């Protein structure tokens, strides 16, 4: 295959621009001027005249979660379908669902409203559910405040009885003197029910990953990291991969904790079972853990108190010693550790752990990843380069919006120092971007634009939050730096002869436009991965032997902007 | 005896009069050393400025809206407050007008806090002159505030005729949820706050209250049925603001059972073995228009009859 007459921004310092590329066996055979490439055209060569279109390497989205964004929606759970259903409507919906899903399986879904039960004098309890559906497990969430109503069968299967201790961050509502559960489980306690439930159906996970990956690919993403997986999620990814429908490279990170979903085969996966899933496109050689919390909950862990007149510094989910030992051990197994660090105290300990790991294991270790890097301490910026740790930033707080200014107001003055991409790059760090869907959009172009403007892409709110980087720097972050963070910068991440033929053709020249309000609207006219066309909306290759094999419709996961 | 710090949550939509009520409590209630925790929404902290600071401590929980975030922040901060060298004697949490108090109340059930604190009750203020005028979205929020409430304080009652008020209560509230009508923010503290710890209740005297309220004391040396006592309290629920008691139950003859009723909520707990002769003492406070002291005692007599 040959593409000529392009404006090809290669992200290769030795040859920043090219006009044409020749591709064979999945790699760039040659990159150069039209004159240099034309002699390579044979009779069977597919030739595409790009007519001056802008071309660059494919994008790397280094942190996202299609399963969390879409899995529940596709799981066919009970949905009463009313904002404020009364008890009869809840009952009828449960009975209808039971009829449509016969057998003795779980009935789980949403939602009931405590108010409406009290208004009608109906006590929310296992007894109420038992009165019409005693023989199969039922659990239904309430709409307002994080509680769940379960029947006796569900409580029995979840092992919840008078002797069950309350879990952290929640409690089992009990009859005062006997301690018998009433059937209402609050906050953390409904995780007891979730743990007893079967995992989401494979079909839901397959659809979630399939659609997520398809959308990413349609937006020019050629490689991604799906952080937090379990054996079921890996099975789903493998199904898509084996079916030839995985249009990007995926590095999947096994969850270190059970706080999002249980990982029943964690230790088997980490010991070696993960290699079962390994292919050209898929690997599970990473682990993800939650170290501190979030801004909204004020659980980000800081080196200094949250505000001047108090002691609260946030909280850590795991001890520093745990992290030290875990990072060193994973590193020896060649497993990348991705650490959720929002506060500067969390990333400080994580960097300490990598330093200790380098001391224990010697040089040549894995490139571990500091996820989100929401607030970094000034003194730690240089350590990313020194310790070869990836600084990953997620765009949710990069620009002014109701979310950053409203929900994140807890950060106070710290908000203006958040996502210090500029500082990280200035200190030589390899910085990457992760869209972190569903926290922010899975469309990488929104964060991409905001990286270079630090302004609201839709003009919903004025002002700038944080220091922008240049367009060239942003492009590196989304391409070669991503490849570096996956340990494949020698074989991918730029348009360079000998590297994997990953490239995207765009409708505008990113280096010539005024990015504000425009860059995020960039249209991707072709996505190529390993020399295969994986997205071809204009049908350029339709009649050739290179025709795109991915033909499913592109789902619409663009953010809804009002 | 229960030494845990009592906590009362005051909720209500914007403008319902929470600050007026809290100021009045601070002014009139000298017996308890109240600590006020203000949970405000967003960065602008208007309410705090309105609170009379006096010599009492005002703490801020300016973490944005706790109700729309996971609860661990609140647990951790409250834990810090309760386990500090100088813990409050009584904690009053004023929630933001747009908060769902149920989410805040639920953290007091977490094992991390149960050791230190005991949720006495959730009081929701209902501005009867405003409630019907609010938008549909706001109604959902007001319903969630009512749903979480153990007691309702109706405010701005002089702006709405009595018949209309009754209609509003019927439409918005529950049968078992008592309403206190506040006159100029004036509500006896005994109704809103946990008046005395059990060990201080000497002789179970009936507290002196304005004439629109009644109080009754009932005692007996014959055991009472736990089941029937629960039913009896439920029957009186809408008329009885508060009740507490030490009870000898037929079902648990060896154990002192204590209970605490705040509005619609009743908590029973075991409190060790009887050291003296078992004897039931119950004291309740009700609304004279709905119940008399004799009726309260009669209801309890009925609960005792097998």
């Amino acid at each position: 295959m040959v593409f000529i007459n392009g404006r090809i921004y290669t992200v290769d310092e030795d040859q920043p621009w090219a006009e044409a590329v020749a591709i064979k066996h999945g790699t760039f055979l040659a990159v150069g001027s039209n004159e240099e490439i034309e002699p390579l055209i044979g009779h069977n060569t597919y030739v595409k005249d790009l007519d001056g279109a802008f071309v660059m390497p494919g994008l790397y989205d280094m942190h996202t979660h299609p399963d969390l964004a879409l899995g529940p929606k596709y799981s066919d759970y009970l949905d009463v379908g009313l904002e404020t259903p009364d008890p009869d409507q809840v009952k009828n919906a449960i009975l209808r669902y039971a009829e449509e899903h016969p057998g003795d399986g779980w009935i789980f879904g949403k939602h009931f409203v405590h108010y409406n039960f009290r208004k009608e004098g109906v006590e929310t309890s296992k007894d109420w559910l038992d009165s019409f559906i005693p023989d199969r497990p039922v659990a239904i969430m309430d709409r307002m405040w994080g509680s769940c109503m379960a029947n006796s069968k569900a409580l029995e299967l979840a092992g919840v009885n008078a002797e069950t201790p309350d879990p952290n961050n929640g409690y089992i509502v009990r009859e005062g003197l006997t301690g018998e559960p009433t059937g209402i489980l609050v906050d953390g306690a409904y995780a007891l029910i979730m743990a007893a439930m079967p995992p989401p159906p494979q079909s839901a996970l397959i659809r979630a990953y399939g659609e997520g990956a398809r959308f990413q690919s349609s937006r020019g993403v050629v490689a991604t990291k799906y952080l937090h997986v379990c054996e079921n999620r890996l099975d789903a990814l493998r199904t898509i991969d084996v079916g030839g429908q995985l249009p990007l490279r995926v590095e999947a990170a096994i969850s270190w904790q059970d706080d999002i979903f249980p990982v029943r085969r964690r230790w088997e996966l980490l010991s070696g079972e993960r290699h079962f899933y390994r292919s050209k496109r898929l690997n599970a050689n990473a682990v993800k853990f939650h170290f501190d919390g979030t801004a909204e909950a004020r659980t980000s862990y800081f080196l200094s108190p949250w505000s001047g007149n108090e002691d609260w510094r946030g909280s850590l989910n795991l001890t520093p010693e745990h992290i030290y030992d875990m990072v060193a051990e994973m590193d020896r197994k060649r497993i990348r550790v991705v650490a959720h660090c929002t506060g500067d105290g969390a990333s400080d300990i994580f960097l300490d752990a990598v330093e200790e790991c380098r001391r224990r294991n010697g040089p040549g270790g894995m490139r571990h990843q500091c996820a989100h890097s929401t607030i970094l301490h000034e003194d730690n910026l240089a350590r990313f380069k020194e310790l070869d740790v990836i600084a990953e930033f997620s765009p949710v707080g990069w620009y002014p919006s109701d979310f950053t200014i409203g929900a994140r107001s807890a950060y106070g003055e710290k908000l203006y120092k958040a996502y210090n991409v500029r500082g990280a790059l200035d200190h030589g760090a390899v910085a990457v971007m992760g869209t972190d869907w569903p926290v922010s959009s899975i469309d990488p172009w929104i964060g991409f634009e905001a990286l270079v403007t630090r302004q609201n892409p839709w003009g919903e709110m004025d002002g700038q939050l944080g220091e922008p980087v240049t367009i060239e720097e942003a492009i590196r972050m989304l391409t070669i730096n991503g490849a570096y963070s996956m340990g494949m910068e020698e074989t991918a991440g730029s348009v360079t002869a000998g590297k994997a033929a990953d490239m995207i053709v765009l409708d505008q020249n990113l280096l010539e436009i005024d990015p504000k309000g425009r860059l995020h609207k960039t249209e991707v006219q072709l996505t190529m991965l390993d020399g295969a066309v994986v997205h071809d909306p204009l049908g350029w290759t339709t009649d050739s032997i290179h025709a795109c094999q991915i033909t499913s419709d592109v789902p619409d996961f663009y953010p809804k902007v009002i | 005896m229960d030494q845990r710090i009592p906590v009362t949550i005051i909720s209500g939509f914007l403008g319902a009069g929470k600050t007026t009520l809290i100021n009045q409590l601070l002014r009139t209630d000298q017996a308890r050393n109240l600590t006020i925790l203000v949970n405000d929404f967003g960065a602008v902290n208007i309410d705090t400025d309105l609170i009379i600071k006096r010599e009492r401590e005002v703490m801020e929980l300016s973490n944005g809206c706790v109700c729309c975030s996971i609860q661990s922040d609140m647990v951790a901060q409250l834990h810090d407050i309760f386990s500090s060298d100088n813990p409050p004697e009584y904690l009053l949490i004023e929630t933001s007008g747009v908060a769902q108090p149920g989410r805040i109340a639920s953290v007091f059930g977490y094992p991390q806090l149960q050791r230190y604190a005991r949720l006495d009750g959730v009081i929701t203020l209902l501005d009867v002159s405003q409630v019907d005028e609010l938008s549909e979205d706001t109604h959902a929020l007001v319903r969630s505030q009512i749903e979480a409430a153990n007691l309702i304080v109706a405010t701005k009652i002089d702006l709405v005729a009595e018949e209309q008020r009754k209609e509003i209560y019927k439409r918005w509230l529950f049968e078992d949820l008592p309403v206190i009508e506040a006159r100029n923010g004036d509500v006896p503290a005994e109704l809103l706050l946990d008046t005395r710890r059990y060990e201080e209740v000497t002789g179970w005297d009936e507290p002196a209250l304005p004439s629109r309220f009644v109080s009754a004391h009932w005692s007996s040396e014959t055991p009472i049925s736990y089941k029937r006592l629960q039913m009896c309290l439920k029957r009186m629920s809408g008329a009885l603001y508060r009740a507490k008691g030490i009870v000898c139950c037929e079902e648990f003859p060896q154990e002192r059972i204590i209970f605490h009723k705040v509005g619609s909520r009743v908590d029973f707990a075991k409190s060790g073995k009887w050291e003296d002769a078992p004897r039931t003492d119950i004291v309740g406070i009700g609304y004279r228009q709905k119940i008399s002291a004799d009726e309260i005692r009669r209801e309890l007599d009925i609960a005792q009859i097998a």
Side-chain angles (χ1 to χ4, degrees):
Chain A
M1 277 176 114
V2 162
F3 290 79
I4 56 164
N5 277 328
R7 293 272 296 146
I8 304 172
Y9 186 70
T10 63
V11 193
D12 179 342
E13 280 159 12
D14 296 335
Q15 185 186 18
W17 289 96
E19 286 177 313
V21 291
I23 295 159
K24 196 169 185 181
H25 302 314
T27 55
F28 291 115
L29 183 69
V31 177
S33 63
N34 290 335
E35 293 71 33
E36 286 166 319
I37 301 301
E38 272 159 5
L40 300 171
I41 298 173
H43 340 282
N44 295 326
T45 307
Y46 167 89
V47 181
K48 171 69 189 171
D49 184 342
L50 290 166
D51 198 18
F54 182 82
V55 177
M56 62 179 276
L59 306 183
Y60 284 68
D61 178 351
M62 297 292 87
H63 182 157
T64 204
H65 315 280
D67 56 320
L68 302 182
L70 300 172
K73 199 158 82 182
Y74 295 160
S75 289
D76 190 27
Y77 291 138
L78 164 73
D79 185 353
V80 176
L82 297 163
E83 268 299 289
T84 54
D86 62 33
D88 268 345
Q89 288 167 324
V90 173
K91 176 179 167 180
N92 292 336
I94 292 172
L95 291 173
R96 195 165 54 241
Y97 184 95
E99 212 175 287
E100 289 163 5
H101 301 77
D104 59 2
W106 277 82
I107 297 176
F108 174 80
K110 56 175 191 174
H111 56 231
F112 71 97
V113 180
H114 284 284
Y115 179 90
N116 289 15
F117 277 71
R118 284 197 61 190
K119 194 84 191 93
E120 295 199 8
V122 177
E123 199 160 336
T124 50
S125 66
K126 63 181 178 191
D127 298 339
W128 180 73
L129 284 169
D130 289 347
S131 73
F132 62 90
I133 185 151
D135 48 349
R136 62 191 281 190
V138 180
I140 181 163
M141 302 296 297
D142 95 279
R143 191 168 67 97
M144 299 308 277
W145 51 271
S147 70
C148 157
M149 172 164 52
N151 70 354
S152 296
K153 191 80 191 166
L155 294 171
E156 179 196 322
L157 291 175
V160 176
N161 55 47
E163 270 72 55
T164 314
D166 287 327
N168 268 355
N169 295 328
Y171 61 100
I172 301 160
V173 178
R174 299 166 196 270
E175 203 286 324
L177 296 184
T178 61
E180 274 302 317
T182 64
I184 299 294
L185 301 126
V186 179
D187 294 337
Y190 60 72
L192 296 168
I193 297 286
M194 306 281 189
M197 275 178 44
Q202 279 310 100
S203 58
L205 292 173
I206 293 169
R207 188 175 164 199
Y209 282 124
E211 291 186 359
R214 179 77 178 97
F215 180 81
Q216 287 179 287
S217 169
S218 78
R219 299 299 287 144
V221 175
V222 293
T224 192
K225 293 186 184 180
Y226 292 154
L227 302 184
H228 290 299
V229 296
C230 57
E231 59 284 353
N232 300 315
R233 283 164 169 79
L234 284 169
D235 285 338
L237 285 166
R238 185 169 186 272
T239 303
I240 300 166
D241 184 27
V242 168
Q245 294 294 304
L246 196 59
L248 32 65
R249 291 186 200 101
V250 176
E251 177 174 295
I254 298 155
S255 287
W256 184 254
Q257 292 135 305
D258 281 340
D259 53 355
I260 303 185
F261 45 76
V263 186
R264 296 200 168 84
R265 296 193 67 77
R266 173 178 301 112
W267 307 114
E268 290 86 344
L269 288 167
L270 292 172
S271 307
E273 194 173 274
R274 66 185 183 283
H275 303 309
F276 171 69
Y277 301 95
R278 184 73 167 103
S279 74
K280 193 174 168 75
R281 296 270 163 94
L282 179 61
N283 82 74
N285 295 327
V287 63
K288 165 83 191 285
F289 73 93
H290 279 130
F291 198 11
D292 66 343
T294 61
E296 295 74 52
R298 301 218 325 166
T299 43
S300 298
Y301 185 71
F302 284 116
L303 290 167
S304 53
W306 267 84
S307 62
N309 53 1
E310 53 169 326
D311 296 332
W312 177 246
R313 288 173 52 196
S315 60
L316 288 175
N317 301 320
L318 303 166
T319 63
E321 294 76 14
H322 178 135
I323 304 305
Y324 280 34
D325 288 355
M326 174 266 221
V327 171
E329 189 191 335
M330 292 298 115
D331 188 75
R332 270 196 300 277
K333 290 181 189 290
R334 308 297 298 167
I335 294 174
R336 188 184 325 288
V337 178
V338 183
H340 167 109
C341 297
T342 58
D344 59 8
S347 43
D348 186 61
I349 293 172
F350 181 58
L351 289 164
D352 287 350
V354 177
E355 191 171 325
E356 173 63 13
C357 154
R358 302 289 185 233
R359 195 185 64 76
R360 290 188 203 173
N361 297 355
M366 292 297 285
R367 288 163 189 161
H368 303 294
Q369 180 167 331
C370 179
H372 306 299
S373 310
T374 312
I375 309 279
L376 296 173
H377 194 273
E378 200 65 24
D379 296 343
N380 277 329
L381 294 174
R383 296 177 77 198
F384 284 90
K385 180 168 190 237
E386 283 161 26
L387 296 166
D388 202 11
V389 170
I390 307 301
E392 173 229 299
F393 297 93
S394 36
V396 66
W398 282 352
Y399 49 82
S401 69
D402 286 340
F403 175 79
T404 42
I405 304 296
R408 289 231 155 148
S409 62
Y411 274 145
E413 281 304 301
K414 289 186 167 91
L415 182 67
Y416 296 90
K417 294 183 184 150
Y419 300 104
N420 188 4
V421 186
R422 178 75 273 156
L425 292 180
D426 287 346
H427 287 81
V430 174
V432 299
M433 185 179 97
T435 57
D436 197 19
W437 197 39
V439 179
S440 51
S441 168
I442 193 174
D443 184 359
W445 294 87
I446 293 162
F448 195 166
E449 175 181 317
L451 261 181
V452 293
T453 63
R454 299 299 288 252
Q455 297 179 46
N456 186 300
W458 304 280
E460 295 163 326
M461 197 179 270
D462 291 336
Q464 184 179 318
L465 210 55
E467 288 298 314
V469 302
T470 66
I471 181 71
E472 292 85 354
E473 287 170 324
I475 291 174
R476 287 185 67 81
M477 281 177 67
L478 276 124
T479 58
I480 190 73
N481 288 9
Y484 184 91
S485 82
M486 294 177 83
M488 53 191 310
E489 75 283 6
E490 299 292 335
T491 55
S494 63
V495 179
T496 303
K499 279 194 176 183
D502 304 343
M503 63 175 199
I504 53 179
V505 181
L506 308 179
D507 70 334
Q508 55 184 355
N509 183 334
L510 303 187
L511 286 96
E512 284 177 358
I513 56 167
D514 172 8
K516 184 169 160 38
R518 274 190 72 186
L519 194 140
H520 79 274
K521 291 183 180 151
T522 300
E523 285 179 21
V524 176
Q525 298 179 330
L526 186 87
T527 306
M528 176 179 280
L529 171 67
D530 288 322
V533 175
V534 288
H535 177 60
D536 183 11
L538 305 176
W540 289 346
T541 60
T542 305
D543 297 325
S544 76
I545 56 160
H546 301 289
C548 180
Q549 299 300 306
I550 312 266
T551 52
S552 56
D553 290 338
V554 178
D556 177 5
F557 297 141
Y558 292 100
K560 302 280 170 279
V561 180
I562 303 146
Chain B
M1 279 290 157
D2 199 339
Q3 297 288 349
R4 295 177 299 170
I5 299 160
V7 178
T8 296
I9 296 173
I10 310 252
S11 112
F13 191 64
L14 302 166
K18 296 185 291 295
T19 306
T20 312
L21 181 77
I22 288 172
N23 277 337
Q24 183 247 332
L25 284 174
L26 285 173
R27 230 179 359 254
T28 59
D29 181 61
Q30 300 295 340
R32 283 163 289 269
N33 187 9
L34 297 174
T35 295
I36 319 289
L37 193 66
V38 181
N39 167 227
D40 65 326
F41 176 76
V44 191
N45 188 357
I46 307 161
D47 285 353
T48 323
D49 298 335
L50 300 175
I51 297 269
I52 301 169
K53 290 221 164 103
R54 307 206 354 160
E55 67 276 21
R56 288 166 183 167
E57 208 173 346
V58 175
M59 292 190 191
E60 278 182 55
L61 203 64
S62 48
N63 55 340
C65 181
V66 286
C67 53
C68 36
S69 67
I70 51 171
Q71 316 287 66
S72 51
D73 59 323
M74 185 139 186
V75 175
Q77 288 182 76
L78 288 167
H79 185 272
D80 278 3
I81 294 170
F82 291 135
S83 61
S84 74
D85 296 341
N86 182 22
E89 283 175 37
Y90 197 119
L91 186 67
L92 205 61
I93 299 181
E94 183 194 358
T95 69
S96 129
V98 292
Q100 292 172 23
R103 303 210 77 145
I104 299 167
S106 65
V107 303
F108 291 96
Y110 290 15
Q112 298 97 309
L113 293 184
Q114 271 184 20
R115 261 180 65 199
Y116 300 100
R118 174 178 66 73
L119 180 65
D120 182 66
V122 179
I123 297 164
T124 293
L125 276 64
L126 187 70
D127 175 348
V128 289
S129 70
Q130 173 202 42
V131 63
D132 281 336
E133 311 300 320
L134 301 170
S135 71
E136 191 41 48
D137 284 353
T138 312
H139 279 170
L141 181 69
V142 171
R143 278 195 289 270
S144 83
Q145 293 177 342
I146 292 168
E147 187 271 307
N150 305 128
L151 268 176
I152 296 288
V153 172
T155 58
K156 319 265 172 82
I157 56 162
D158 50 325
L159 301 177
V160 179
E162 191 179 346
E163 274 311 301
Q164 269 177 287
R165 296 203 302 269
K166 282 189 175 152
E167 264 307 300
I168 288 172
Y169 303 150
K170 202 171 158 198
R171 227 165 337 116
W172 283 90
L173 307 181
F174 316 124
E175 275 291 306
D176 62 346
L177 182 59
V179 185
I180 304 169
E181 295 197 321
R183 297 176 201 278
N184 306 321
D186 186 22
V187 180
E190 288 85 349
L191 268 56
L192 301 182
L193 307 177
D194 185 16
T195 43
R196 287 157 297 180
R197 297 189 177 195
Y198 285 94
E199 66 271 27
E200 293 162 0
V201 180
T202 48
W204 295 90
D205 52 337
E206 295 166 2
L209 289 164
S211 60
R212 56 205 167 103
F213 304 109
V214 292
S215 65
H217 171 229
W218 182 87
S219 71
S220 167
E221 278 156 24
T222 314
I224 183 167
S225 150
Y226 173 49
K227 280 252 156 62
R228 281 199 305 277
L229 176 60
Q230 283 180 304
M231 279 157 59
C232 150
L233 292 171
K234 198 163 221 162
R235 275 199 305 277
M236 293 192 286
S237 186
L240 208 56
Y241 299 123
R242 300 184 82 91
K244 63 162 72 174
I246 300 179
V247 186
C248 172
C249 289
E250 287 168 4
E251 293 89 336
F252 310 92
Q254 305 299 320
E255 287 176 281
R256 284 158 60 102
I257 304 297
I258 56 171
F259 84 89
H260 211 94
K261 174 190 191 300
V262 180
S264 58
R265 200 183 80 240
V266 187
D267 289 331
F268 279 90
K270 291 180 183 172
S271 170
K273 301 262 183 261
W274 289 102
E275 285 165 11
D276 313 326
R279 174 193 153 101
T280 297
D281 276 291
I282 293 172
V283 61
I285 304 173
Y287 184 41
R288 192 178 294 281
Q289 273 200 2
K290 287 202 165 178
I291 204 162
S292 69
D294 281 345
E295 281 168 325
I296 297 172
R297 285 189 280 263
R298 202 173 316 133
E299 280 284 353
L300 288 161
D301 286 340
I302 294 168
Q304 197 177 38
I305 298 161

